[in-house]
Amino acid sequence: MAAILPLRALQMGIDTHQEPVVFIRADSEVCRAEGFIANTRILVCVQERSLIATLNVVTNEVLPARHIGFSRIAWERLALSGDEAVTVRHAPVLHSMSAVRKKMYGNTLSKREMNDIIADISQHRYSDMQIAAFLTACVERLDTGEVTALTQAMVDSGKRLTWPDRLQLVDKHCIGGIPGNRTTPIVVAIASAAGLIMAKTSSRAITSPAGTADTMEVLTRVHLDLADIQATVRRANACLAWGGAVNLSPADDMLIRIERALDIDGTGQMVASVLSKKIAAGSTHALIDIPVGPTAKVRSQHDAESMAHLFETVGRTLQLQVRCLITEGVEAIGYGIGPAQEAKDVLTVLQCQPGAPADLRERALFLTAHLLNMAGQGELPETTTLARELLQSGRAWAQFQRICEAQGGLKPIPEAVCSLQLGARRSGTLLAMDNRRLARLAKLAGAPNSPAAGLRLHAKLGQALAMGQPLFTLYADSQGELDYAADYYAHNHDLFMIGESP
Amino acid sequence: MAAILPLRALQMGIDTHQEPVVFIRADSEVCRAEGFIANTRILVCVQERSLIATLNVVTNEVLPARHIGFSRIAWERLALSGDEAVTVRHAPVLHSMSAVRKKMYGNTLSKREMNDIIADISQHRYSDMQIAAFLTACVERLDTGEVTALTQAMVDSGKRLTWPDRLQLVDKHCIGGIPGNRTTPIVVAIASAAGLIMAKTSSRAITSPAGTADTMEVLTRVHLDLADIQATVRRANACLAWGGAVNLSPADDMLIRIERALDIDGTGQMVASVLSKKIAAGSTHALIDIPVGPTAKVRSQHDAESMAHLFETVGRTLQLQVRCLITEGVEAIGYGIGPAQEAKDVLTVLQCQPGAPADLRERALFLTAHLLNMAGQGELPETTTLARELLQSGRAWAQFQRICEAQGGLKPIPEAVCSLQLGARRSGTLLAMDNRRLARLAKLAGAPNSPAAGLRLHAKLGQALAMGQPLFTLYADSQGELDYAADYYAHNHDLFMIGESP
């Protein structure tokens, strides 16, 4: 339909992260013929392959005549090797953006419209700005039917794990918001030691300093493909893999990247994200942990109950049995915040070390007991006893090692390059800490991109502190990030409330 | 606070449109020290000046060691000349983004929060993605207080025109949605011929194929600074300038750019955008034309009335007298769509040519009569007669020429490079046309970026057509764009409904 002037492909050596960018000279025939200006969305075709990219217009010096430059991700997505003939034209009208606009105006999207949006996103047709608009339009505005449609569309956008008929696969998920709450590796170890099958895929952090996948990556390889996951589960009854590596819900990974940049995490979007990965992994049962507290992700019992209801309703419609547990989310769990620091806590619990954080252990046991109960292993008092016995006997630790061995071996935990210990600025009792600002502190130190970055608490709520007594240690991989976090703390001392106990 | 390693400034020769991008080598000390990865938002400082930019990480070949590359807009905003010492660090946390998130969750923003957001946007601190999130969160979700706060914040973000005390300044605005509805130049010519003062600043197109500024730019210079505007008004009682050139509401210009990319135009945002420019221009009275029709921007009388109420309420709070007129918006006005084609219609009306579009003329007279009435020039029957007399006597045309002369002279209207005439595909009566798809057609042909691009209708509603009789002509500046528009029409014939009259 449009004038086609072939250009030659050239890698620019420019990394634009996940948004593909191509570079064309301002004086090129194609810019004049097609009326391109900077930031035009264009369709780039190489043989049978095509990609929608954002255009950057360049001067002569940057690019030889008759060439088109590609950013790293554009180059990779088109699987280029260099000098291929490339044609470009205006990107076609994205019909699904009409549905996004419809949602902005508060209308309800049909199953078909939700499908079209997710298909376009997973085919990389949306710009980051368009994804941002879709996510924003959905925050707290999706009804149950839309969340169900979104969940199904996400499942359909990716690959699925298949298992023998009628195999019972259980899963466990925490919606997050509580720093250090890294129960999943412990729950998976105990539950699979009891014989449950858990093909556990976890996400990386969205707005937190670490996701389970970030923490597990410190301990072993989590970048497993579908065949690796199936082999690991055959060998060890369970795995602890990164979900993003297996394309189980590729659209979701793109949504999560933009949610992270905007620091948002809407309920409907989150329910769809969680359940789509469970369904794509072939799970039959899922236990969802919803912590509630004044600075947690969910602040009130009412909100937690409506979220639980949404999880259970959507799950039921899509043939997944879901149980939600509303748990206390007042303070950070364990001592570590950030991938490596949380991994340390996980190991001390599994190894039943004397200094292991009791709160992390007890919460993991509570969740495991429910999971065993859901899976028909007995009433709660029995499954509670069973879970504790599996942990204390060392069988859970042996099972955890078996899983890590099957994934590629247990790795030593990395140490941070820089650290800074900070003490209490007055004496008294530690009365409260702000989960959100604590998470932000760990993120400013570099978590989760730097796995060793984060912080380690030296006190828990209710503890008496002398002035100057160590309160926490900051860890970072660069002095710049350490300074950045320390500066934030200097302006936010009150994230720890120390005073006389009431 | 952070480690500072100076780099040398280099212009990259890359145009990234309005979003500033800087380029740093992956192997640079600063990337390692600060933990930068691609797409990190960083603060770039040169002496006393600073800018938040998006980072692209580059390989050695692209940039010499110890240098930092700048995209065109980043280079311009920092007023660089080359080789300046540049320091970079993580961009500070944007506190106003918390308010954007609050809005996403449906909460009401305070005056202070709205101010902080608009201040950050006008200081270029938001990424395009963050602006997209703000705009999306506001679509149909701003209450009257928030629209008032947004309007005031936009006024405060920019410069203001000042006039002698108690000078009555009138303004006129159409909310758009009807292709070809270019009454403003005609209204300004007639009303200022009657002695009214109109420092008219207009916007460029947001989602339409032409804004008044785009159309006027075809006829004369519209890029006037504040002094030019004041001089023009002194000489000719009125001006017809582009608002974006005078920084009257710089945040609004940035919002409009992203609205255009996302093809959205929310009511609250629009009311604030319109009124902020009137207030900043020093207007005391504003007449707002709200066309209503099945494919117009406003589809029902009820929506038009609530929009009118919002305009009038916000105006009253901010000491601007606003009158809204709800007009018929069923079909395109005039024959031309796109800057040059609309300019032709404007001239034929002002010159009282025999082929001038009667609908455009009558609508302009109706609006002018209301404007004269608002300004105390008499009751409506008298002002209606006065307006028609000023047009028919040639005084309005003389006045229009005076305005253009004062702005830099009347220019010849550009002709498009390519054109394509399309005929009726069946015989019958032209029963309906879809304004939105008609606008899209003109945009695909290149309007408003190519001023000569667009289309010219050869039929109006109710007209009898023989098969093959010319229906409209497409105009474009490149074959690619002409093909692109023709292809869209090939798939959207039904945007013209031709059949037997009922």
Side-chain angles (χ1 to χ4, degrees):
Chain A
M1 61 187 249
I4 306 284
L5 306 164
L7 297 167
R8 295 281 153 191
L10 190 76
Q11 187 166 20
M12 288 296 277
I14 294 179
D15 183 355
T16 57
H17 205 61
Q18 293 292 312
E19 176 144 343
V21 173
V22 297
F23 301 83
I24 302 183
R25 283 165 63 135
D27 66 353
S28 63
E29 282 174 341
V30 71
C31 266
R32 278 178 288 129
E34 295 278 342
F36 293 157
I37 59 165
N39 264 28
T40 304
R41 295 281 288 168
I42 66 175
L43 183 71
V44 183
C45 304
V46 181
Q47 291 160 351
E48 303 301 293
R49 308 188 297 281
S50 69
L51 174 81
I52 296 180
T54 296
L55 175 67
N56 278 188
V57 172
V58 298
T59 55
N60 302 356
E61 296 73 37
V62 181
L63 197 67
R66 307 204 156 277
H67 280 73
I68 173 170
F70 288 82
S71 73
R72 186 187 55 75
I73 193 79
W75 188 261
E76 287 173 9
R77 290 221 183 110
L78 280 169
L80 297 173
S81 53
D83 215 42
E84 284 90 348
V86 178
T87 57
V88 292
R89 51 189 159 95
H90 283 272
V93 172
L94 277 178
H95 295 293
S96 70
M97 272 301 293
S98 304
V100 172
R101 280 187 288 274
K102 188 174 156 186
K103 188 72 228 162
M104 288 182 204
Y105 283 88
N107 299 301
T108 303
L109 296 186
S110 69
K111 207 171 152 178
R112 168 91 181 250
E113 287 168 325
M114 197 60 98
N115 251 317
D116 290 345
I117 292 170
I118 295 301
D120 278 341
I121 290 176
S122 61
Q123 302 294 313
H124 305 290
R125 295 194 189 107
Y126 274 39
S127 66
D128 286 357
M129 208 162 65
Q130 288 169 321
I131 298 177
F134 170 63
L135 286 171
T136 303
C138 289
V139 170
E140 302 306 296
R141 296 176 111 183
L142 298 178
D143 68 20
T144 307
E146 287 175 305
V147 176
T148 307
L150 179 58
T151 308
Q152 187 66 56
M154 282 183 179
V155 173
D156 294 345
S157 78
K159 299 215 172 84
R160 295 182 74 144
L161 275 166
T162 52
W163 302 98
D165 258 7
R166 277 192 284 273
L167 184 69
Q168 178 177 274
L169 250 88
V170 300
D171 208 322
K172 174 266 159 199
H173 186 90
C174 175
I175 64 143
I178 307 301
N181 191 10
R182 198 55 57 214
T183 54
T184 296
I186 306 170
V187 172
V188 169
I190 306 175
S192 62
L196 301 195
I197 311 292
M198 295 189 78
K200 182 82 195 107
T201 63
S202 301
S203 55
R204 298 194 186 278
I206 301 176
T207 59
S208 74
T212 294
D214 300 308
T215 301
M216 280 307 302
E217 193 164 41
V218 164
L219 295 169
T220 188
R221 187 171 67 102
V222 296
H223 201 291
L224 308 185
D225 63 21
L226 292 174
D228 288 337
I229 287 181
Q230 277 164 321
T232 304
V233 172
R234 265 198 304 275
R235 266 179 71 183
N237 269 6
C239 70
L240 279 155
W242 172 44
V246 284
N247 226 27
L248 284 181
S249 183
D252 187 49
D253 297 328
M254 273 173 282
L255 299 182
I256 283 176
R257 181 173 57 82
I258 306 295
E259 285 187 290
R260 195 193 299 217
L262 295 173
D263 209 2
I264 55 169
D265 202 357
T267 305
Q269 180 61 44
M270 193 197 61
V271 167
S273 167
V274 170
L275 295 186
S276 68
K277 292 193 171 173
K278 309 297 170 229
I279 293 166
S283 295
T284 54
H285 296 70
L287 181 72
I288 313 283
D289 176 12
I290 305 177
V292 179
T295 59
K297 199 173 274 181
V298 178
R299 312 267 182 117
S300 74
Q301 184 68 18
H302 173 267
D303 289 354
E305 282 166 11
S306 68
M307 183 184 283
H309 181 71
L310 184 60
F311 264 119
E312 290 168 358
T313 311
V314 174
R316 193 162 44 242
T317 310
L318 301 173
Q319 269 94 50
L320 175 70
Q321 195 187 315
V322 175
R323 181 187 296 180
C324 293
L325 297 178
I326 298 173
T327 58
E328 194 186 57
V330 172
E331 72 174 321
I333 304 293
Y335 302 113
I337 301 174
Q341 296 302 325
E342 295 178 23
K344 285 185 184 180
D345 283 351
V346 166
L347 293 195
T348 57
V349 169
L350 284 169
Q351 293 165 352
C352 303
Q353 289 183 20
D359 55 352
L360 179 63
R361 181 184 63 230
E362 293 307 314
R363 189 171 283 238
L365 288 170
F366 171 73
L367 295 170
T368 310
H370 271 278
L371 204 54
L372 293 169
N373 169 252
M374 274 183 92
Q377 303 262 320
E379 293 306 310
L380 271 179
E382 300 164 50
T383 57
T384 304
T385 307
L386 172 60
R388 191 175 300 276
E389 197 279 322
L390 288 165
L391 180 65
Q392 286 176 345
S393 66
R395 283 174 60 198
W397 167 233
Q399 170 61 12
F400 184 79
Q401 290 169 283
R402 196 171 303 126
I403 295 168
C404 290
E405 284 310 317
Q407 291 190 193
L410 200 59
K411 297 193 289 188
I413 297 178
E415 297 292 338
V417 176
C418 325
S419 68
L420 177 67
Q421 193 179 75
L422 291 151
R425 295 176 55 92
R426 54 167 295 187
S427 64
T429 306
L430 182 54
L431 297 175
M433 52 180 96
D434 183 321
N435 290 320
R436 289 174 185 239
R437 286 190 287 166
L438 212 50
R440 173 156 295 227
L441 194 59
K443 283 157 67 181
L444 292 175
N449 287 325
S450 298
L455 58 89
R456 175 154 287 270
L457 298 166
H458 303 306
K460 302 290 282 184
L461 291 199
Q463 187 171 325
L465 290 164
M467 193 165 97
Q469 185 177 333
L471 196 53
F472 69 99
T473 301
L474 275 177
Y475 297 94
D477 273 346
S478 72
Q479 190 64 40
E481 287 165 304
L482 192 73
D483 292 348
Y484 199 52
D487 183 73
Y488 180 78
Y489 179 61
H491 293 92
N492 287 275
H493 283 129
D494 61 331
L495 73 83
F496 293 100
M497 217 176 92
I498 302 171
E500 296 313 310
S501 339
Chain B
M1 60 187 252
I4 306 284
L5 306 165
L7 297 166
R8 294 282 153 192
L10 190 77
Q11 187 166 19
M12 288 297 278
I14 294 179
D15 183 356
T16 57
H17 206 61
Q18 293 292 311
E19 175 145 344
V21 173
V22 295
F23 302 83
I24 302 183
R25 282 165 62 137
D27 66 353
S28 62
E29 281 173 344
V30 72
C31 267
R32 279 177 287 129
E34 293 279 341
F36 292 157
I37 59 165
N39 266 26
T40 304
R41 296 281 288 168
I42 66 176
L43 183 72
V44 183
C45 303
V46 181
Q47 292 161 349
E48 302 301 293
R49 308 189 297 281
S50 68
L51 175 81
I52 295 180
T54 296
L55 175 67
N56 279 188
V57 173
V58 298
T59 56
N60 302 355
E61 295 74 36
V62 181
L63 197 67
R66 308 204 154 277
H67 280 73
I68 174 170
F70 289 83
S71 73
R72 185 188 54 76
I73 192 79
W75 188 262
E76 287 173 9
R77 291 221 183 111
L78 280 169
L80 297 173
S81 53
D83 215 41
E84 284 91 347
V86 178
T87 56
V88 292
R89 53 191 158 93
H90 285 271
V93 173
L94 277 177
H95 295 293
S96 71
M97 271 300 294
S98 304
V100 173
R101 280 186 288 275
K102 189 175 155 186
K103 189 72 230 163
M104 288 182 202
Y105 284 89
N107 299 302
T108 303
L109 296 185
S110 70
K111 207 171 151 179
R112 169 91 181 250
E113 287 167 327
M114 198 60 100
N115 251 316
D116 291 345
I117 292 170
I118 295 302
D120 278 340
I121 291 176
S122 60
Q123 302 293 314
H124 306 289
R125 296 196 188 106
Y126 274 39
S127 66
D128 286 357
M129 207 163 67
Q130 288 169 322
I131 298 176
F134 170 63
L135 286 171
T136 303
C138 290
V139 170
E140 301 307 295
R141 296 176 111 185
L142 298 179
D143 67 20
T144 307
E146 287 175 305
V147 176
T148 307
L150 178 59
T151 308
Q152 188 64 57
M154 281 182 179
V155 172
D156 295 344
S157 78
K159 301 214 172 85
R160 295 183 77 144
L161 275 166
T162 52
W163 302 98
D165 257 8
R166 278 191 282 271
L167 183 69
Q168 179 176 272
L169 250 87
V170 301
D171 208 324
K172 174 268 161 199
H173 186 89
C174 175
I175 63 143
I178 308 299
N181 191 11
R182 197 57 55 214
T183 54
T184 296
I186 306 168
V187 172
V188 169
I190 307 174
S192 61
L196 300 196
I197 311 292
M198 295 189 80
K200 180 83 194 109
T201 63
S202 301
S203 55
R204 299 194 185 277
I206 301 178
T207 59
S208 74
T212 295
D214 301 306
T215 301
M216 280 307 301
E217 193 164 42
V218 164
L219 296 169
T220 187
R221 188 171 67 103
V222 295
H223 201 291
L224 308 185
D225 63 21
L226 292 175
D228 289 336
I229 288 181
Q230 277 164 321
T232 304
V233 172
R234 265 197 305 272
R235 268 181 68 183
N237 268 5
C239 70
L240 279 155
W242 172 45
V246 283
N247 226 26
L248 283 182
S249 183
D252 187 48
D253 297 328
M254 274 174 280
L255 299 182
I256 284 177
R257 181 173 57 82
I258 306 294
E259 284 187 291
R260 193 193 301 217
L262 295 173
D263 209 1
I264 56 170
D265 204 358
T267 305
Q269 179 62 44
M270 192 198 59
V271 168
S273 166
V274 170
L275 295 186
S276 69
K277 292 189 172 175
K278 309 299 169 228
I279 293 166
S283 295
T284 53
H285 296 70
L287 181 71
I288 313 283
D289 176 11
I290 304 178
V292 179
T295 59
K297 200 174 273 181
V298 177
R299 312 267 183 119
S300 73
Q301 185 68 18
H302 173 265
D303 289 354
E305 282 166 10
S306 68
M307 184 184 282
H309 181 72
L310 183 60
F311 264 118
E312 290 167 358
T313 310
V314 174
R316 192 163 43 242
T317 309
L318 300 174
Q319 267 94 50
L320 176 70
Q321 195 187 314
V322 176
R323 181 188 295 181
C324 292
L325 298 177
I326 297 173
T327 58
E328 195 186 54
V330 172
E331 71 174 321
I333 304 292
Y335 302 114
I337 301 174
Q341 296 302 325
E342 295 176 24
K344 285 185 185 183
D345 284 351
V346 166
L347 292 196
T348 57
V349 168
L350 284 170
Q351 294 164 351
C352 302
Q353 290 183 19
D359 54 353
L360 179 64
R361 181 185 62 231
E362 294 307 315
R363 188 171 285 239
L365 288 170
F366 171 72
L367 295 170
T368 309
H370 272 277
L371 204 55
L372 294 169
N373 170 253
M374 273 182 92
Q377 304 264 321
E379 292 306 310
L380 271 178
E382 301 165 47
T383 57
T384 303
T385 307
L386 173 61
R388 192 175 300 276
E389 198 279 321
L390 288 166
L391 180 65
Q392 286 174 346
S393 66
R395 284 176 58 199
W397 168 230
Q399 169 62 11
F400 185 79
Q401 290 169 285
R402 196 170 304 127
I403 295 169
C404 291
E405 285 311 315
Q407 292 190 189
L410 201 60
K411 298 193 289 187
I413 296 178
E415 297 292 337
V417 177
C418 325
S419 68
L420 178 67
Q421 192 179 77
L422 290 150
R425 296 177 52 94
R426 53 167 296 187
S427 63
T429 305
L430 182 53
L431 297 175
M433 53 180 94
D434 182 322
N435 291 320
R436 288 173 187 243
R437 286 189 286 167
L438 212 51
R440 174 157 297 233
L441 193 59
K443 282 158 66 180
L444 292 176
N449 286 326
S450 297
L455 57 89
R456 176 155 287 271
L457 297 165
H458 303 306
K460 302 290 282 185
L461 291 198
Q463 185 171 326
L465 290 165
M467 193 164 98
Q469 185 177 334
L471 195 53
F472 69 100
T473 301
L474 275 177
Y475 297 94
D477 272 346
S478 72
Q479 191 63 40
E481 286 164 303
L482 191 73
D483 291 349
Y484 199 53
D487 183 74
Y488 180 78
Y489 179 62
H491 292 94
N492 288 275
H493 282 130
D494 62 330
L495 73 84
F496 292 100
M497 217 176 92
I498 301 171
E500 296 312 312
S501 336

